[in-house]
Amino acid sequence: MAQPDNKKFFENLSGAGKAIAVLTSGGDAQGMNAAVRAVVRMGIYVGAKVYFIHEGYQGMVDGGDNIKEATWESVSSMLQVGGTVIGSARCMEFRTHEGRLKAAHNLVQHGITNLCVIGGDGSLTGANLFREEWSSLLAKLVQQGAETKYSALHIVGMVGSIDNDFCGTDMTIGTDSALHRIIEVVDAIMTTAQSHQRTFVLEVMGRHCGYLALVSALACGADWVLIPEMPPEDGWEEKMCEKLSATRSRGTRLNIIIVAEGAIDRHGKAITSSRVKDLVVRSLGFDTRVTILGHVQRGGTPSAFDRILASRMGVEAVLALLETTANTPACVVSLCGNQAVRLPLMECVQMTQEVQKAMDEKRFEDAVKLRGSLRLYKRLSVPGADSEWPCAFSPIQSNFNVAVLNVGAPAAGMNAAVRSAVRVGISEGHKMFAINDGFEGFYKGQIKEIKWGAVGGWTGQGGSLLGTKRTLPAKYIGKIAEQIRKYNINALLVIGGFEALECLLQLCEARRTFEELCIPLCMLPATISNNVPGTDLSIGADTALNAIGKKRLLYSNRFSPTCDRIKQSASGTKRRVFIIETMGGYCGYLASVGGLAAGADAVYIYEEPFDIRELQSNVEHLTEKMKTSIQRGLVLRNENSNVNYTTDFIYQLYSEEGKGVFDCRKNILGHMQQGGAPSPFDRNFGTKIAAKAMQWISKKLQESYRQGRVFANTEDSACLLGMRRRALVFQPVTQLKDQTDFIHRIPKEQWWLKLRPLMKILAKYKTSYDVSDSGQLEHVVCNRTKESDTTTTI
């Protein structure tokens, strides 16, 4: 990919002479350290001085050693650490004019006029007030004899909050990691609950926001969820118990109820986990246990998603600070779909406060609209219970047969997508059929109707419970058409990777010969390689990235500072470089984005050819870093990056050239990236896009139903549903052919290649960063709300 001219880059975005300070305030959140690291390194990269402000606003008020200049090395080994290493504290003094005057004096002493604040809406509101008062504060300092030439203070915010309670961004730093903690607990609880036929009431954080409760309920298939934005109607106790009893009567051995800590009923009375437990025991006599997660949700290492999100936001924050003028309002860096955007800070704060106001005034419908909706959860958990989502057809036309199958290699999240498709399809009035073993099972007639209860508990299962194979349909198209006719299949949902795209193209081509194939066809991309054209992200890719991250964490723990000090007395500190091979075929997504998440020093991929000179330069660069500061290094190589420069070759080269400075270890991750339980992101992503796909299928069935039969052969009746920048988009598969390199099985253009320079910058390489996609200041009304049809991506 062509890079922008480096000289021009520095001319436009020079930070020379500027000073940037970064602080974390309010509650801690996993990923804050990754954001701090990105701010420091990007600031230094563009020539600015960067300062840590320790202990948040308290440190800014107290000054002294709390404000220290940061170096490149001072943020080493921060990426995988949870919490915030520069500290966070709530400061009552900063809320006073005198406290802000002290803070201004301390900033002026260091020449700091650019402030990057990582925190919640309270912290960001305080920063904006500080900015607005800056001129008057300086005037008072001058009256007191201080000398200052700094007339303006520039503020950029990033939202660090596990609750995801800030309007204007799809995801806040720390939310995905908190979901990981919750899902890990739920998955563990489910095994013991099944053993004893127990009901578990799980209380999660969220005093004013039910995001964690709602998404974790979707991700684990909970029986009931209670959140503050949508108090249940009167009589909810009886309805919940009826649901739990019905679930048990179908043979399920456990029940999961998730309660947000701020859940209330319609009269404002708290619905606590103990209240729910007592209700279940009293009404049903079920053996019931309560688990309160508490601050476990804030702890632990950040997920791959949070590391990447925080790194991108940190870099964007620095760019925003360099581009601000005296008239630029304070902004917050947000995530919209797959794009970084800048929004006026106070517009976001005001919208966030409007949610709370609506809840206080018991305008819960308005609060739900501002936050998002419960409708999808209701539709997937209670058959026929959601009157808000009526069937799309009259009873005469609603009895369509829709089949779902998996194609290609297994990917975590496939089962969540199948579950969602089956249950949404049934709620639409369709009869759902499952096809085992992909198109091989299709032509062999491995087809059966699948009921609502058959997909219970599927969200947390890895692999493909339907079975999946790489067989393409072209050779068996006649037999497949016969099975479609035999079972009267009216629409087909295909979930899979690159092979799934090839399958749909072959089915479209065969429509000329077989009318049975003239039915709505929809594909959902599901592959860890993320190599499907027409989408920025595929189901399964996030789980695979976390597998890389976990491997990196294993190494990090082995060489943690504490362990190093223990070992020094015996054998001294050892510097080590790990050479890791990832999967992905010819697609370098896993290696590149995994490298960004893990803080890699070099990543080798097919899309960016490399030679022996570059390899040698990388070794020399890493050797210099090892001599001065870092104790360990990480090099990633995509499996098909180069036929000659194999993982063994690179390992031997680094081992030889690093003699006396570091030693090497290598690891080939292989199929461990395909295995394991799906991440919360993949469960949620698969659930959402499958639901949207079924809505599309229902619409197409209605449009193509004529004279007692379904007939659809237009280009737009065979589509792939993918995430493109900010939105989920249905794209005719025939239009994707020109965007595809079929020989190497990758898209011709791949968005994530623009992250490669960012990864190199954070690894201390002198390179240029493409700012053409840099976020521009927008109004919040231009940004979509969380109830829209899109979903969050990396």
Side-chain angles (χ1 to χ4, degrees):
M1 182 184 71
Q3 298 296 330
D5 179 69
N6 199 42
K7 183 178 179 182
K8 184 177 180 182
F9 171 81
F10 276 106
E11 288 175 354
N12 293 338
L13 287 171
S14 176
K18 293 192 174 184
I20 300 172
V22 57
L23 64 90
T24 55
S25 179
D28 64 302
Q30 307 97 318
M32 279 184 166
N33 290 322
V36 170
R37 171 181 178 267
V39 170
V40 170
R41 291 195 167 178
M42 189 64 180
I44 293 173
Y45 179 80
V46 297
K49 279 189 174 183
V50 185
Y51 291 86
F52 292 135
I53 298 180
H54 292 272
E55 310 306 330
Y57 286 118
Q58 188 66 56
M60 191 191 299
V61 172
D62 294 342
D65 290 340
N66 289 305
I67 303 177
K68 294 181 179 179
E69 185 173 355
T71 65
W72 193 278
E73 291 75 19
S74 63
V75 292
S76 295
S77 302
M78 282 178 61
L79 189 62
Q80 72 275 9
V81 179
T84 165
V85 298
I86 62 174
S88 178
R90 304 186 189 279
C91 180
M92 296 302 295
E93 193 174 359
F94 187 77
R95 298 184 180 185
T96 67
H97 184 77
E98 293 72 18
R100 292 191 291 275
L101 185 64
K102 289 181 183 179
H105 176 71
N106 291 326
L107 294 187
V108 166
Q109 281 188 319
H110 293 86
I112 297 170
T113 57
N114 298 277
L115 197 58
C116 182
V117 180
I118 309 168
D121 62 323
S123 302
L124 299 181
T125 301
N128 188 67
L129 176 61
F130 190 43
R131 171 186 172 276
E132 290 175 346
E133 289 185 347
W134 183 256
S135 296
S136 62
L137 293 172
L138 289 189
K140 187 167 287 190
L141 289 174
V142 170
Q143 290 176 3
Q144 296 175 358
E147 295 183 6
T148 177
K149 58 182 178 180
Y150 307 108
S151 59
L153 177 67
H154 304 298
I155 300 288
V156 171
M158 288 181 277
V159 189
S161 167
I162 68 168
D163 292 330
N164 201 28
D165 56 354
F166 192 82
C167 293
T169 185
D170 287 347
M171 192 73 88
T172 57
I173 296 169
T175 301
D176 187 71
S177 299
L179 286 171
H180 273 261
R181 302 294 93 77
I182 295 169
I183 295 305
E184 286 167 4
V185 171
V186 173
D187 286 350
I189 281 175
M190 290 178 78
T191 56
T192 184
Q194 286 176 329
S195 300
H196 298 277
Q197 294 195 57
R198 281 178 175 156
T199 295
F200 268 88
V201 182
L202 187 71
E203 182 181 303
V204 302
M205 283 186 167
R207 281 195 303 259
H208 306 292
C209 180
Y211 183 87
L212 289 178
L214 180 58
V215 175
S216 57
L218 279 171
C220 72
D223 296 279
W224 207 265
V225 63
L226 295 156
I227 65 172
E229 294 93 335
M230 197 169 187
E233 299 287 348
D234 291 344
W236 64 272
E237 297 93 339
E238 291 77 14
K239 292 180 181 178
M240 184 185 74
C241 290
E242 288 173 5
K243 170 71 191 307
L244 299 179
S245 181
T247 302
R248 286 290 179 95
S249 67
R250 292 195 296 267
T252 303
R253 294 177 59 84
L254 79 156
N255 298 111
I256 299 290
I257 303 168
I258 297 183
V259 183
E261 61 178 328
I264 56 174
D265 62 21
R266 289 277 164 173
H267 307 287
K269 183 180 179 181
I271 301 177
T272 64
S273 52
S274 58
R275 177 182 171 186
V276 174
K277 174 196 171 183
D278 292 342
L279 171 64
V280 174
V281 172
R282 183 175 63 253
S283 301
L284 300 175
F286 290 173
D287 186 6
T288 306
R289 298 288 188 273
V290 172
T291 298
I292 300 175
L293 267 64
H295 285 75
V296 167
Q297 295 156 93
R298 291 190 186 278
T301 57
S303 64
F305 183 99
D306 274 328
R307 299 188 203 185
I308 297 163
L309 174 66
S311 297
R312 292 180 66 183
M313 283 187 168
V315 168
E316 187 64 36
V318 172
L319 298 181
L321 285 171
L322 296 182
E323 294 172 4
T324 55
T325 66
N327 298 322
T328 305
C331 74
V332 60
V333 179
S334 299
L335 183 72
C336 180
N338 201 31
Q339 298 298 114
V341 297
R342 303 174 195 169
L343 301 174
L345 189 154
M346 289 314 296
E347 288 187 22
C348 296
V349 169
Q350 288 163 8
M351 185 177 289
T352 302
Q353 293 172 345
E354 180 60 34
V355 178
Q356 187 58 49
K357 182 180 178 182
M359 292 168 61
D360 292 340
E361 296 174 356
K362 297 186 178 181
R363 293 185 287 111
F364 298 114
E365 290 184 4
D366 293 338
V368 168
K369 288 178 181 177
L370 288 166
R371 282 270 199 245
S373 178
L374 259 177
R375 295 182 298 167
L376 180 57
Y377 169 76
K378 290 170 66 178
R379 203 170 200 201
L380 295 175
S381 62
V382 186
D386 191 358
S387 59
E388 296 181 62
W389 287 50
C391 292
F393 317 107
S394 66
I396 296 175
Q397 296 179 344
S398 64
N399 192 24
F400 289 110
N401 295 341
V402 180
V404 58
L405 74 161
N406 295 334
V407 175
M414 276 183 164
N415 297 320
V418 172
R419 171 184 178 268
S420 177
V422 168
R423 293 195 168 181
V424 171
I426 292 172
S427 73
E428 291 278 347
H430 307 317
K431 185 181 288 186
M432 299 299 297
F433 287 83
I435 301 173
N436 296 109
D437 296 334
F439 280 97
E440 183 173 319
F442 203 163
Y443 84 80
K444 292 179 178 178
Q446 297 173 204
I447 306 168
K448 62 180 180 181
E449 185 179 356
I450 187 166
K451 300 287 189 178
W452 184 280
V455 292
W458 280 34
T459 52
Q461 299 292 317
S464 168
L465 294 175
L466 289 184
T468 179
K469 292 193 175 180
R470 298 179 185 270
T471 305
L472 300 181
K475 287 175 58 177
Y476 312 101
I477 206 74
K479 294 182 179 180
I480 290 171
E482 182 181 332
Q483 297 296 340
I484 291 176
R485 185 168 58 252
K486 177 180 177 181
Y487 288 91
N488 190 28
I489 293 173
N490 305 119
L492 191 63
L493 178 63
V494 181
I495 304 170
F498 199 89
E499 292 89 353
L501 175 65
E502 293 178 306
C503 289
L504 253 67
L505 288 171
Q506 291 179 4
L507 293 179
C508 289
E509 184 68 24
R511 279 176 166 178
R512 302 174 185 176
T513 308
F514 298 94
E515 283 193 358
E516 291 85 352
L517 299 174
C518 295
I519 57 176
L521 306 171
C522 187
M523 173 191 164
L524 301 181
T527 168
I528 69 167
S529 302
N530 199 31
N531 64 331
V532 178
T535 187
D536 291 347
L537 190 70
S538 301
I539 299 169
D542 183 71
T543 303
L545 285 174
N546 278 285
I548 297 174
K550 288 178 182 177
K551 202 69 180 176
R552 171 62 169 161
L553 289 173
L554 174 63
Y555 302 143
S556 299
N557 291 336
R558 185 183 300 170
F559 298 102
S560 65
T562 302
C563 293
D564 283 344
R565 287 193 292 270
I566 293 172
K567 292 178 180 179
Q568 278 176 353
S569 60
S571 58
T573 302
K574 209 160 201 173
R575 294 182 172 90
R576 186 162 289 171
V577 174
F578 294 94
I579 315 295
I580 308 295
E581 180 183 300
T582 70
M583 295 182 75
Y586 287 96
C587 180
Y589 174 84
L590 281 181
S592 295
V593 182
L596 178 60
D601 298 280
V603 176
Y604 302 111
I605 62 172
Y606 167 79
E607 290 89 344
E608 288 189 4
F610 55 96
D611 55 23
I612 190 65
R613 290 180 292 275
E614 182 174 347
L615 287 169
Q616 183 65 33
S617 175
N618 293 156
V619 174
E620 293 171 357
H621 179 79
L622 186 54
T623 302
E624 288 302 311
K625 287 169 66 177
M626 284 284 190
K627 287 178 179 178
T628 57
S629 59
I630 66 171
Q631 299 294 317
R632 56 190 175 274
L634 177 66
V635 176
L636 297 180
R637 176 189 177 273
N638 185 55
E639 57 183 348
N640 288 344
S641 56
N642 189 290
V643 67
N644 294 311
Y645 300 134
T646 63
T647 301
D648 282 336
F649 177 90
I650 293 173
Y651 165 73
Q652 291 169 6
L653 174 66
Y654 274 77
S655 296
E656 181 64 28
E657 296 299 315
K659 277 184 178 178
V661 180
F662 59 81
D663 65 2
C664 289
R665 295 290 186 272
K666 68 175 179 178
N667 195 296
I668 298 175
L669 299 183
H671 286 79
M672 68 167 288
Q673 294 169 271
Q674 287 181 328
S679 68
F681 183 94
D682 277 328
R683 299 184 196 195
N684 192 32
F685 186 54
T687 297
K688 285 183 176 180
I689 65 170
K692 188 171 179 66
M694 288 306 302
Q695 289 179 301
W696 179 88
I697 285 174
S698 294
K699 180 182 176 182
K700 290 297 178 183
L701 284 169
Q702 187 179 36
E703 292 174 353
S704 58
Y705 185 77
R706 298 290 184 274
Q707 299 178 344
R709 61 171 294 193
V710 172
F711 186 84
N713 67 344
T714 57
E715 189 179 61
D716 66 352
S717 65
C719 286
L720 177 147
L721 174 56
M723 165 62 70
R724 301 304 295 265
R725 296 173 69 87
R726 296 194 185 191
L728 284 171
V729 181
F730 288 96
Q731 301 151 96
V733 292
T734 54
Q735 294 180 9
L736 295 176
K737 287 195 290 186
D738 293 338
Q739 304 174 26
T740 307
D741 176 354
F742 284 96
I743 295 176
H744 298 101
R745 298 162 61 85
I746 56 176
K748 291 180 180 178
E749 293 185 7
Q750 303 188 82
W751 69 273
W752 52 265
L753 286 171
K754 293 185 178 181
L755 298 180
R756 299 262 307 165
L758 170 58
M759 181 196 67
K760 293 177 181 178
I761 287 170
L762 298 180
K764 210 174 183 178
Y765 285 92
K766 282 295 180 182
T767 185
S768 56
Y769 182 59
D770 185 358
V771 296
S772 61
D773 277 344
S774 181
Q776 302 301 316
L777 192 64
E778 304 176 3
H779 290 292
V780 180
V781 292
C782 297
N783 189 33
R784 59 182 175 73
T785 60
K786 291 179 185 177
E787 67 173 349
S788 67
D789 291 331
T790 56
T791 189
T792 309
T793 70
I794 294 176

